[in-house]
């Protein structure tokens, strides 16, 4: 019964609203409404009567309804945690400022977000504020077998009641501990310089430069990440492949183009253990030929038939400055957005709480993953408990060992430390609101100034339109954005969350910056040759988001609504018709929780609350769908020998799991130390649990297959290198909620002229715009503010950001 009724309703709506499909005759039939009778022939403009109502109560500042229980540690909390840990003799900590790799030292302190059950009890039921706990990530360098371990410290503030314990319950390994197999970075680098010194004459001949560790070196030396492990004589050995990267020099030394300047000479080192006397050089590679010893390499080089390859040298091609003849109209200022009557959203700066239109959310900032959103509400109902990045993989391939062995897991470096100040007028509109964030690493609290921006903008296309020969109905599409950019080494990741008037929330990542490239010799099958000595080094980006949707409560189900081709015989025809149907499939078990986007968009993926039906009996839901990019969202490489057990979240486009306080993250920044034995192995979250009407979490990948071409020089551009998904209401509300906005227009007209203009209280701005006030002063750009935390003196700011990781 219900289905029939719903179909009938749908049918009527379809006829009334689809003139494009119905054709010109049908269109005439639909012109059934008489134009409104107007008393006066002159143009009428509806006044904004009543519009003052809402604006009278609006304020751009606001007090968050609840304390932000997800907010980062304050400087004082971080200092207290660090001081408390230094008081624990068994940790045997050395102050980071003087610590070497042979000491125990605190790397990071951050918040351990409260358990969801406690958080919801506080947010929804007036329960107590959850106790606050800190994460402390410590590098134990003093033991012969060094390791890293995560601790939970608290409750905060630190009192006699506070304790610390290994943060084991957030791991799949059982213990939040991982081996640090090559802990002594400086010794490793010294080893590399010692190796290269033995072939200094060859390096000069082949590459025309030096690598000695001196300030005037031509080359930087580094190699694969993560470190590779090989079984040699039944024992695990740790293998580093190093290569030469030319420092940009001369006029181009300001440009960070080193990753465009690989030189094509590689050496393999066995750096097992902490005694460099036991390390071994295992060979050289040049021009695709492997030489097992330095002597063999030298003998080959001395022969007249030794093939030397073209040099890969810096010049203007690595710079990003304007080049070429300026384009004709380009000296004129391009269009500029303004905010004519001020900010239309509210921020509690201290609590990091935001309200815009029908949305509200809290946000926070972490060392590992940067900006994160919590408790996103729409029309007063939570739709997401948590939304934020989990990990960003860049997995390379190549004939050369450094590219082949490299698969960055960027939370190792962290999104937080590199989320630098944004430039108004470029990164975000000048009128955006800019906020600071702080993270705590190496016993220093670093505040990034103005590194998160919030703003409304008009994307330049409408939310809605319809017109006939009698009227037009148009609705503006005003989008609210929160954005932050992390420059992790060569890449700049632009992260943003877009909120829209129809209830859609979009998650976007874009990448720009320098590619990591490869020397061209013997690399033809792994990318394009893009410069004299250069290959583009193909790689996959795979970035995972945790999307903890709560649709009208936490009892939710993931369903696939499939658009399927079928053969049907109807009572009204003797012929079997080839047609399509909507098929509904519930994903009721984690065993079915690993998913790909289907070809031709055949499956709609919904998170519904099966117990919350709308008035037509359909479950109220949100749909999740890819929205930009689409050139790849998971790894191409199967069973990656680089990432081993650490890439479980990057094998599919998205995943569904049951929410658990013990399954908080998809990855762990320290997995990079030992990818075979990760602290969190995401694949272990799939243990056949029931997903039917329970609290579920989606883990959604964005990314791209990146095969750099000449257009990636000097930098990759955001236009192509972007990827996004959206979550959007689906049978969730009675109709499109964007009807509520005043920013719409109706014009009734006939051949006599315009008969009616309705503006619904939207105020057309008038007056002058003083463009000078929109002009940013770029000399205000300051960068970070750092405060050393141990020994702690808040009055003595310490501005060395070199040691931040
Ligand atoms: C003005 O605000 C009151 C109270 O919120 C509301 O009841 C009323 O409908 C509003 N009027 C208009 C014109 O928006
Ligand atoms: C404590 O660490 C230092 C290095 O910072 C080390 O020399 C010492 O042996 C360690 N003490 C203990 C008891 O482990
Ligand atoms: C959070 O949940 C974990 C796993 O159930 C539990 O071990 C831990 O004690 C909880 N934390 C608090 C503060 O209750
Ligand atoms: C590098 O060479 C110097 C001089 O021979 C030696 O003292 C040092 O131990 C070597 N370092 C490493 C890490 O091999
Ligand atoms: C090699 O380097 C020297 C000095 O840096 C420079 O003068 C010379 O032009 C370089 N040769 C080539 C072939 O680039
Ligand atoms: C950001 O930090 C700077 C420098 O400490 C400070 O002057 C400014 O007031 C801060 N801005 C906000 C919005 O807190
Ligand atoms: C969720 O479902 C469980 C089991 O079906 C039920 O016991 C519980 O009351 C439901 N919770 C809510 C908030 O509806
Ligand atoms: C189906 O075919 C039969 C036999 O030819 C015919 O009697 C009947 O009218 C047809 N039905 C329809 C719906 O066309
Ligand atoms: C899953 O939940 C739906 C709706 O609550 C129910 O109809 C169905 O029987 C459940 N399936 C299983 C296997 O429990
Ligand atoms: C246009 O509409 C107005 C107001 O209804 C009416 O007076 C006028 O005659 C119409 N003109 C035509 C050409 O229909
Ligand atoms: C425009 O703004 C600038 C900077 O605030 C100010 O100096 C100037 O007087 C303003 N011009 C007008 C016409 O108001
Ligand atoms: C760092 O701080 C010192 C002393 O406060 C100051 O003299 C110096 O200019 C600062 N350096 C930078 C790069 O900000
Ligand atoms: Cu890339």
């Amino acid at each position: 019964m219900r289905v029939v009724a719903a179909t009938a309703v749908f049918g009527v709506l379809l006829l009334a609203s689809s003139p494009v499909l119905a054709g010109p005759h049908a269109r005439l039939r639909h012109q059934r409404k008489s134009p409104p009778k107007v008393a006066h022939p002159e143009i009428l403009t509806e006044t904004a009567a009543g519009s003052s109502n809402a604006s009278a109560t609006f304020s751009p500042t606001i007090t968050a309804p609840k304390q932000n229980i997800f907010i980062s540690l304050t400087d004082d909390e971080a200092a207290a945690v660090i001081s408390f840990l230094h008081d624990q003799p068994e940790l045997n900590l050395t102050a980071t400022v003087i610590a070497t790799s042979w000491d125990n030292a605190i790397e990071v302190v951050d918040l351990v977000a409260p358990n969801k059950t406690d958080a919801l009890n506080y947010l929804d039921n007036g329960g107590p504020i959850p106790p606050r706990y800190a994460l402390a990530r410590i590098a134990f360098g003093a033991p012969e077998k060094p390791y890293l371990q995560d601790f939970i410290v608290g409750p905060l503030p630190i009192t006699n009641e506070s304790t610390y314990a290994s943060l084991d319950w957030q791991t799949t390994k059982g213990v939040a501990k991982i081996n640090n197999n090559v802990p002594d970075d400086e010794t490793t680098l010294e080893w590399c310089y010692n190796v290269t010194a033995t072939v200094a004459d060859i390096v000069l001949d082949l590459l025309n430069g030096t690598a000695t560790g001196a300030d005037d070196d031509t080359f930087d030396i580094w190699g694969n990440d993560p470190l590779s492990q090989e079984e040699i004589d039944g024992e695990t050995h740790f293998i580093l492949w190093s290569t030469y990267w030319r420092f940009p020099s001369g006029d181009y030394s300001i440009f960070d183009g080193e990753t465009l300047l690989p030189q094509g000479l590689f050496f393999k080192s066995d750096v097992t253990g902490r005694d460099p006397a036991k390390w071994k050089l295992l060979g050289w590679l040049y021009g695709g030929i492997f030489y097992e010893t330095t002597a063999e390499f030298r003998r080959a080089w001395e022969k007249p038939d030794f093939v030397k390859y073209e040099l890969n040298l810096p010049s203007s091609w690595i710079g990003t400055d304007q080049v070429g003849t300026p384009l004709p109209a380009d000296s004129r200022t391009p269009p500029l957005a303004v905010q004519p009557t001020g900010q239309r959203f509210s921020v509690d700066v201290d609590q990091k709480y935001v309200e815009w239109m029908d949305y509200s959310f809290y946000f926070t900032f972490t060392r590992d993953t940067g900006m994160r959103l919590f408790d996103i509400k729409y029309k007063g109902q939570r739709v997401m408990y948590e939304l934020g990045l989990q990990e960003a993989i860049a997995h390379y391939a190549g004939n050369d060992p450094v590219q082949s062995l490299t698969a960055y897991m960027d939370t190792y470096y962290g999104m937080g430390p590199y989320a630098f100040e944004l430039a108004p007028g470029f990164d975000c509109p000048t009128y955006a609101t800019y906020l600071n964030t702080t993270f705590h690493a190496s016993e220093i609290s670093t505040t990034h100034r103005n590194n998160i921006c919030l703003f409304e903008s008009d994307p330049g296309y409408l939310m809605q339109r319809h017109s006939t020969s009698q009227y037009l109905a148009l609705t503006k599409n005003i989008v609210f954005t929160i954005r932050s950019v992390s420059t992790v080494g060569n890449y700049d990741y632009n992260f943003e969350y877009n909120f829209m008037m129809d209830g859609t929330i979009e998650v976007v990542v874009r990448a720009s910056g320098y590619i990591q490239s490869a020397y061209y010799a013997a690399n033809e099958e792994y990318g394009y040759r893009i410069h004299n000595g250069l290959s583009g080094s193909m790689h996959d980006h795979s970035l995972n988001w945790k999307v903890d949707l709560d649709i009208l409560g936490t009892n939710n189900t993931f369903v696939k609504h499939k658009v399927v081709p079928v053969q049907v015989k109807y009572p009204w025809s003797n012929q079997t018709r080839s047609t399509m149907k909507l098929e509904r499939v519930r994903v009721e078990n984690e065993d079915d929780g690993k998913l790909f986007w289907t070809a031709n968009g055949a499956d709609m993926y919904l998170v519904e609350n099966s117990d919350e039906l709308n008035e037509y009996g359909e479950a109220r839901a949100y749909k999740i769908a890819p929205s930009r990019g689409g050139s790849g969202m998971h790894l191409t490489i199967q069973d990656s020998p680089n990432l081993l057990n650490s890439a479980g979240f990057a094998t599919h486009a998205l995943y569904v799991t049951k929410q658990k306080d013990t399954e908080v993250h998809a990855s762990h920044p320290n997995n990079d130390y030992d990818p075979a034995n990760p602290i969190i192995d995401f694949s272990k979250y799939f243990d056949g649990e029931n997903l039917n009407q329970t609290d579920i979490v989606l883990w959604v990948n964005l990314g791209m297959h990146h095969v750099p071409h000449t257009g990636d020089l000097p930098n990759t551009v955001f236009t192509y290198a972007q990827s996004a998904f959206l979550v959007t209401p689906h049978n969730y509300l009675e109709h499109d909620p964007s009807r509520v906005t005043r920013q719409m227009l109706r014009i009734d007209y006939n051949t006599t002229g315009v008969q009616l203009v309705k503006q619904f209280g939207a105020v057309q701005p008038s007056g002058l715009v003083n463009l000078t006030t929109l002009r940013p002063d770029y000399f205000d750009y300051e960068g970070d503010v750092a405060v050393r935390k141990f020994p702690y003196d808040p009055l003595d700011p310490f501005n060395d950001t070199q040691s931040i990781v």
Side-chain angles (χ1 to χ4, degrees), residues 356-481:
W356 175 72
M357 300 295 162
D358 268 348
Y359 292 93
S360 69
F361 61 85
Y362 295 84
F363 70 94
T364 187
F365 188 80
T366 73
R367 179 269 175 207
D368 296 345
T369 56
M371 177 175 74
R372 310 188 67 72
L373 275 49
F374 281 93
D375 195 20
I376 302 172
K377 287 188 173 172
Y378 182 55
K379 296 188 181 293
Q381 281 282 355
R382 178 175 307 114
V383 292
M384 284 190 217
Y385 174 75
E386 183 180 2
L387 177 62
L389 182 76
Q390 291 296 306
E391 185 59 276
I393 291 175
H395 200 315
Y396 291 77
N399 183 55
D400 85 52
V402 171
Q403 300 303 320
S404 188
L405 295 177
T406 291
Y408 295 116
M409 291 183 277
D410 277 331
T411 65
Y412 165 80
Y413 301 97
M415 293 295 163
Y418 307 107
F420 299 119
E421 181 172 356
L422 300 166
F426 279 85
D427 279 314
C428 318
T430 45
Y431 60 75
T433 293
Y434 294 86
L435 299 177
N436 300 339
T437 58
T438 299
F439 71 98
H440 316 281
S442 302
E443 298 182 348
I444 297 169
S445 296
T446 304
T447 298
H448 297 296
R449 291 173 79 251
N450 301 343
N451 77 329
I452 289 190
C453 69
L454 306 110
F455 61 91
E456 280 187 295
S457 66
D458 182 332
Y461 68 97
L462 291 175
M463 172 64 76
Q464 172 277 336
R465 96 179 300 290
H466 187 62
S467 59
T468 69
S469 59
Q470 293 175 325
Y471 83 105
L472 276 98
L474 316 172
T475 310
K476 285 202 181 186
N477 182 11
I478 301 300
V479 178
F480 178 73
T481 300

Side-chain angles (χ1 to χ4, degrees), residues 507-784:
V507 177
V508 187
V509 61
R510 304 185 181 91
S512 186
Y514 285 95
I515 56 167
Q516 176 175 308
S517 55
Y519 193 61
Y520 77 106
N523 250 327
E524 300 80 6
E525 291 177 6
Y526 299 92
Y528 303 111
R529 186 165 175 184
I530 59 173
H531 206 260
N532 298 349
L534 201 66
S535 160
S537 196
M538 65 189 292
H539 55 280
D540 277 352
H541 293 278
S542 190
L543 298 96
N544 186 266
W545 265 262
K546 182 179 185 182
V547 187
D548 185 350
L549 283 155
D550 286 349
I551 305 304
L552 303 163
T554 52
N555 278 356
N556 294 164
T557 304
F558 190 93
V559 299
K560 301 180 192 178
H561 286 187
K562 302 158 94 73
V563 178
V564 290
V566 286
Q567 307 292 320
V568 183
K569 190 156 185 313
Y570 298 97
W572 43 264
S573 168
N574 276 338
Q575 268 145 39
T576 297
R577 296 189 63 77
S578 181
T579 182
M580 62 182 171
K581 274 190 177 174
L582 183 66
E583 205 175 279
R584 304 168 186 226
V585 178
R586 303 172 71 86
V587 174
E588 295 192 350
N589 192 289
E590 279 183 346
D591 291 341
D592 305 319
K594 299 181 179 180
L595 300 158
F596 296 109
W597 300 115
T598 44
N600 198 27
D603 288 9
M604 292 186 289
Y605 290 159
L606 311 178
V607 173
E608 67 169 36
N609 188 327
S610 317
D611 299 323
E612 293 288 341
L613 308 182
N614 70 10
E615 64 174 298
Y616 311 110
E618 301 286 359
R620 296 175 64 187
Y622 264 70
K623 176 166 73 183
I624 181 157
S627 65
R628 305 187 195 200
S631 75
M633 285 139 180
H634 57 88
L635 295 180
T636 307
I637 296 171
Q638 314 273 306
D639 302 321
S640 165
N642 307 358
L643 296 175
L644 298 155
N645 300 316
S646 295
F649 56 85
T651 59
H652 290 69
L654 75 164
Y655 304 82
V656 195
T657 65
K658 184 180 164 68
Q659 192 281 333
K660 285 183 168 180
D661 287 337
T662 51
E663 297 180 357
V664 183
H665 309 290
S667 183
H668 190 288
N670 285 351
N671 282 1
D672 190 68
Y673 285 98
D674 192 357
N677 304 292
I679 292 174
I680 294 173
D681 174 352
F682 181 75
S683 67
K684 295 207 166 135
Y685 290 175
F686 295 83
D687 44 7
E689 273 165 316
N690 192 308
L691 296 177
N692 202 19
Q693 281 301 88
T694 186
D695 194 1
I696 58 176
V697 178
L698 308 190
W699 311 83
V700 183
N701 286 325
L702 294 178
M704 72 187 278
H705 307 304
H706 195 178
V707 187
H709 63 104
T710 51
D712 286 84
L713 296 178
N715 276 188
T716 295
V717 291
F718 282 137
T719 39
Y720 178 72
Q722 62 177 317
S723 180
F725 65 87
L726 48 80
V727 290
T728 185
H730 195 86
N731 290 325
Y732 182 77
L733 298 165
E734 283 174 18
H735 55 74
D736 160 33
S738 76
R739 294 310 83 218
V740 77
T741 183
R742 290 176 185 271
Q743 309 308 322
M744 53 166 78
L745 176 66
R746 202 182 97 205
I747 302 172
D748 292 358
Y749 70 104
N750 64 13
T751 49
T752 307
V754 172
Q755 303 302 322
L756 177 72
V757 174
K758 289 185 89 174
Q759 298 199 70
F760 308 98
V763 178
Q764 293 296 315
S766 57
L768 304 172
V769 177
N770 185 344
L771 292 174
T772 312
T773 63
L774 296 174
R775 197 156 65 181
D777 181 354
Y778 293 114
F779 286 96
D780 282 349
Y781 195 90
E782 264 184 45
D784 298 339

Side-chain angles (χ1 to χ4, degrees), residues 5 18 23 32 51 191 247 288 310 327 338 355 419 444 618 636 640 643 658 660 666 737 762 780:
S18 296
R32 61 190 180 282
S51 65
W191 161 266
F247 290 120
E310 196 169 338
L327 297 167
V338 297
E355 285 186 4
I444 297 169
E618 301 286 359
T636 307
S640 165
L643 296 175
K658 184 180 164 68
K660 285 183 168 180
D780 282 349

Side-chain angles (χ1 to χ4, degrees), residues 157-217:
I158 296 288
T159 65
N160 289 342
E161 308 293 305
S162 301
T163 58
Y164 76 98
S166 186
L167 185 47
D168 296 339
W169 51 269
Q170 287 192 358
T171 76
T172 57
K173 195 182 193 184
V175 56
K177 206 170 163 176
I178 198 156
N179 290 335
N180 189 355
N181 295 310
V182 180
D184 306 313
D185 291 347
E186 284 177 19
T187 313
T188 312
L189 191 59
E190 187 184 300
W191 161 266
C192 290
Y193 286 126
N194 282 359
V195 169
T196 192
T198 66
V199 292
D201 52 343
I202 306 181
V203 170
L204 187 64
D205 176 52
L206 296 181
L207 311 181
N208 195 25
T210 57
T212 62
D215 284 347
D216 62 351
D217 267 354

Side-chain angles (χ1 to χ4, degrees), residues 53 59 89 197 239 265 278 305 307 336 365 407 470 497 518 522 549 560 655 658 688 734:
N53 209 6
S59 163
I239 303 300
L265 176 61
K278 294 185 179 147
D305 63 349
V307 180
L336 180 70
F365 188 80
Q470 293 175 325
Y497 300 96
L549 283 155
K560 301 180 192 178
Y655 304 82
K658 184 180 164 68
E734 283 174 18

Side-chain angles (χ1 to χ4, degrees), residues 782 784 796-801:
E782 264 184 45
D784 298 339
D796 179 20
F798 172 80
N799 57 3
D800 176 14
T801 55

